[in-house]
């Protein structure tokens, strides 16, 4: 923690977090890339409500291809944020669910999603103004 300009206590600085004694820089960056990925964040947010089948996740995630959904779910599974359960049925059924580690990420994901939803119009207007000035 550090003091901010107003004399109160502010959040730790990114630099201090990145350079912590137990932080491997390569792993740290890869974690930020994973959890900052738009598809990963959306899937974690959707899976916090309970297990979902692949087809459900695909229909709930507009714009994602089957290949990208498969790849993202595998990466989330590798990181221990999502688990995959296969059921020996005919036809075979597979469900994905968020793990306890993944659930610990949900508040941050939802906070960022809420921020994005709140500021969508403002950011779109800024983009339009920037693009118009660049022409």
């Amino acid at each position: 923690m550090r003091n901010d300009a107003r004399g109160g206590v502010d959040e730790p600085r990114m630099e201090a977090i990145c350079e912590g004694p137990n932080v491997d820089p390569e792993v740290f960056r890869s974690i930020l890339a994973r959890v900052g990925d738009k598809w990963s964040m959306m899937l974690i947010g959707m899976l916090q409500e309970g297990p979902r089948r692949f087809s459900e996740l695909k229909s709930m995630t507009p714009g994602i291809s089957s290949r990208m959904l498969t790849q993202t779910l595998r990466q989330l599974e590798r990181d221990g944020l999502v688990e995959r359960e296969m059921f020996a049925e005919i036809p075979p059924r597979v469900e994905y669910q968020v793990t306890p580690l993944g659930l610990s990420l949900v508040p941050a994901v939802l906070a960022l999603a809420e921020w994005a939803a709140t500021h969508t119009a403002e950011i779109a207007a800024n983009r339009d103004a920037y693009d118009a000035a660049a022409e």
Side-chain angles (χ1 to χ4, degrees), residues 50-54 56 83-97:
R52 304 271 186 194
R53 296 178 72 165
F54 184 92
E56 288 178 282
E83 59 189 12
R84 177 178 182 246
E85 186 174 1
M86 292 185 66
F87 296 89
E89 300 174 352
I90 298 178
R93 181 170 54 106
V94 177
E95 287 185 348
Y96 296 88
Q97 63 184 15

Side-chain angles (χ1 to χ4, degrees), residues 125-135:
N126 289 338
R127 289 178 180 176
D128 290 343
Y130 182 92
D131 293 346
E135 292 177 351

Side-chain angles (χ1 to χ4, degrees), residues 33-50:
R34 170 81 54 249
V35 300
D37 171 75
K38 65 182 174 185
W39 301 124
S40 296
M41 289 183 33
M42 290 176 71
L43 292 170
I44 292 288
M46 289 177 208
L47 288 170
Q48 61 108 11
E49 296 175 11

Side-chain angles (χ1 to χ4, degrees), residues 1-68:
M1 297 288 210
R2 65 182 170 87
N3 289 331
D4 68 11
R6 296 175 309 272
V9 175
D10 202 356
E11 294 296 318
R13 294 180 50 197
M14 181 62 86
E15 180 182 17
I17 296 169
C18 296
E19 296 175 352
N22 299 320
V23 176
D24 177 324
E26 289 295 317
V27 176
F28 182 80
R29 284 191 297 271
S30 71
I31 292 168
L32 289 181
R34 170 81 54 249
V35 300
D37 171 75
K38 65 182 174 185
W39 301 124
S40 296
M41 289 183 33
M42 290 176 71
L43 292 170
I44 292 288
M46 289 177 208
L47 288 170
Q48 61 108 11
E49 296 175 11
R52 304 271 186 194
R53 296 178 72 165
F54 184 92
S55 58
E56 288 178 282
L57 291 170
K58 181 137 177 27
S59 68
M60 294 170 67
T61 314
I64 195 167
S65 67
S66 294
R67 181 176 183 266
M68 182 55 68

